[in-house]
Amino acid sequence: MKIEVIAYTLADALAAAANGADRLEVITAPAEGGLTPSIGLVQSIQEQVDIDIRVMIRPHSRSFVYSEEDIAVMERDISAFRTLGVSGIVLGALTPQGSVDTALLDRLLAVSGSLPITFHRAIDEAADLEQALRTLGHYPQITHTLTSGGLPSVLDAADMIRRLGPVAEAQGITLLPGAGLHIDALEAFLRHTGVHEFHIGSGARQGGSILNPIDVDKLTAIRRIADQFPASEE
């Protein structure tokens, strides 16, 4: 069972890596749902952390529909982080009609090369989650999809996550549930949904707030819960 932890400071990354995280999602602007972090932050984390680092590519929080100006920035950011040698990229894009923006994906993935890609929670605003997953299955680089099951809290979408799991697996994608997970509900959620990985943000932080530092005791306890479950076959 793999745990992905949000990190937006070097201290976050060090605490997460030392206390049970398997992967970091590196962002800035956590209150806006995560935007593209600085090169300096990512370099600092790379120098001191030795786990999988996936970097958010999101130029603003207005929407998941991007202009040509936005796309130019996203392409340059992907190129820069690829040059740095990050483990992977986190991105997502929709059309105004709520479908996965395949034309934009083609452009961004061409820049990202062979880097593994997580399609982020843009999928939760898609008109049809299952169809969106099937569309993403056409892209071998997309290894994970982060989703709350279309609801603000993934805990309210446990049945949807359980249903989406086999759809994602059939596409060669690992479903990564996140948003609203916390320690008191985690074990029951994992048992009900049958997922092999999960994403945690505020649930691993002091006071349960994404704006606070990581709570080492909470994250250690979350790791203990995760270790009760079989490892992914990946």
Side-chain angles (χ1 to χ4, degrees), residues 34-230:
L35 302 178
T36 306
S38 74
I39 294 266
L41 173 61
V42 175
Q43 285 179 315
S44 298
I45 291 173
Q46 282 183 303
E47 288 167 0
Q48 298 188 53
V49 169
D50 152 9
I51 61 174
D52 192 336
I53 298 169
R54 293 206 180 184
V55 177
M56 175 70 78
I57 302 295
R58 188 180 176 214
H60 59 71
S61 59
R62 294 173 186 167
S63 75
F64 298 115
V65 178
Y66 296 114
S67 68
E68 279 298 322
E69 292 85 356
D70 295 330
I71 295 165
V73 172
M74 295 169 84
E75 288 174 331
R76 293 187 75 164
D77 282 335
I78 291 170
S79 181
F81 288 123
R82 181 182 175 188
T83 299
L84 279 185
V86 299
S87 309
I89 295 293
V90 182
L91 54 77
L94 301 176
T95 67
Q97 294 73 38
S99 299
V100 172
D101 189 338
T102 55
L104 178 49
L105 270 187
D106 288 337
R107 291 174 63 176
L108 297 181
L109 297 191
V111 179
S112 65
S114 60
L115 282 177
I117 303 294
T118 299
F119 193 93
H120 60 47
R121 287 189 59 209
I123 196 170
D124 292 319
E125 295 187 15
D128 184 326
L129 286 174
E130 291 190 27
Q131 182 55 48
L133 276 173
R134 292 189 183 96
T135 299
L136 296 177
H138 295 298
Y139 298 89
Q141 289 152 277
I142 297 179
T143 60
H144 293 72
T145 299
L146 173 61
T147 179
S148 63
L151 297 177
S153 171
V154 74
L155 293 176
D156 296 325
D159 289 340
M160 172 63 81
I161 295 297
R162 185 172 181 172
R163 191 165 85 231
L164 291 176
V167 178
E169 187 175 348
Q171 306 303 317
I173 294 171
T174 298
L175 204 65
L176 189 61
L181 279 178
H182 59 79
I183 193 166
D184 294 336
L186 180 60
E187 183 175 351
F189 176 85
L190 295 176
R191 291 195 186 283
H192 180 72
T193 57
V195 297
H196 298 296
E197 304 189 14
F198 62 93
H199 170 96
I200 197 114
S202 58
R205 292 179 179 270
Q206 296 171 18
S209 170
I210 193 65
L211 299 181
N212 288 338
I214 285 177
D215 185 320
V216 168
D217 291 336
K218 274 188 184 177
L219 184 53
T220 302
I222 288 166
R223 179 76 262 174
R224 283 198 298 268
I225 292 170
D227 286 344
Q228 298 175 36
F229 294 84

